[in-house]
Amino acid sequence: LERTFIAIKPDGVQRGLISEIINRFERKGYKLVAIKLVIPTKEFAEKHYDDLRGRPFFNGLCDFLSSGPVVAMVWEGQGVIKYGRKLIGATSPHNSEPGTIRGDLAISVGRNIIHGSDGPETAKAEISLWFKPDDLI
Ligand code: ATP
Ligand code: MG
């Protein structure tokens, strides 16, 4: 069954949006198979966003991801990688539709509250970066 990595970023945790976000994935019908609260080191954040190395916002992005607790999760279900991204909405909250997580709850691209894997390869890589196989139900 398909699995994806979802993280509630430090702004989402700080703003008290954990239950709101989990609720949306649960109500859709996806199954939570792993969850933990972690403060990533900056080095770990750089690994997570490795493909964005060289972008002007890379350093700030990694500082931000490592600035506080993150809810790291693995969700399972049919089409969860692509549809999870649909629930999340466009990268910039300016472009994300109402009804999506970013569309309803965020206004800034640098504080867009949630991360979701963007494809099967990244999902696999991110799940194994954030979790040990034993952590998955
Ligand atoms: P994520 O990987 O966090 O789920 P995404 O896949 O929608 O987001 P990416 O292109 O992977 O978007 O960018 C990763 C993150 O980098 C974005 O979520 C956003 O917080 C930040 N980011 C992307 N573009 C910009 C930008 N132009 N300015 C500032 N931050 C940006
Ligand atoms: Mg991405």
Side-chain angles (χ1 to χ4, degrees):
L1 214 48
E2 191 173 313
R3 289 177 165 184
T4 194
F5 174 72
I6 300 290
I8 304 173
K9 300 180 185 180
D11 55 334
V13 174
Q14 192 174 19
R15 289 177 55 201
L17 297 174
I18 298 172
S19 59
E20 164 81 37
I21 289 167
I22 289 178
N23 207 359
R24 291 181 183 221
F25 278 84
E26 276 193 322
R27 281 187 300 168
K28 176 64 185 172
Y30 295 128
K31 184 183 162 201
L32 184 62
V33 296
I35 183 167
K36 65 179 173 184
L37 194 60
V38 283
I39 305 177
T41 63
K42 181 153 183 200
E43 194 187 11
F44 189 91
E46 287 171 351
K47 240 181 241 169
H48 172 75
Y49 278 127
D50 193 55
D51 57 320
L52 297 174
R53 241 176 242 279
R55 298 294 191 88
F57 54 83
F58 180 73
N59 190 53
L61 176 64
C62 295
D63 272 336
F64 171 60
L65 193 71
S66 57
S67 68
V70 168
V71 178
M73 300 177 280
V74 179
W75 286 88
E76 181 183 88
Q78 243 180 66
V80 69
I81 300 173
K82 201 166 178 192
Y83 202 87
R85 299 270 295 181
K86 215 165 181 172
L87 288 178
I88 289 170
T91 306
S92 169
H94 294 299
N95 301 322
S96 47
E97 297 297 327
T100 66
I101 292 167
R102 287 171 177 161
D104 289 346
L105 305 170
I107 49 175
S108 158
V109 67
R111 296 287 184 275
N112 60 6
I113 64 178
I114 181 167
H115 162 83
S117 304
D118 60 13
E121 296 303 308
T122 38
K124 208 172 273 178
E126 289 170 359
I127 290 168
S128 56
L129 176 66
W130 288 79
F131 289 98
K132 291 182 288 227
D134 277 358
D135 296 337
L136 308 179
I137 298 299

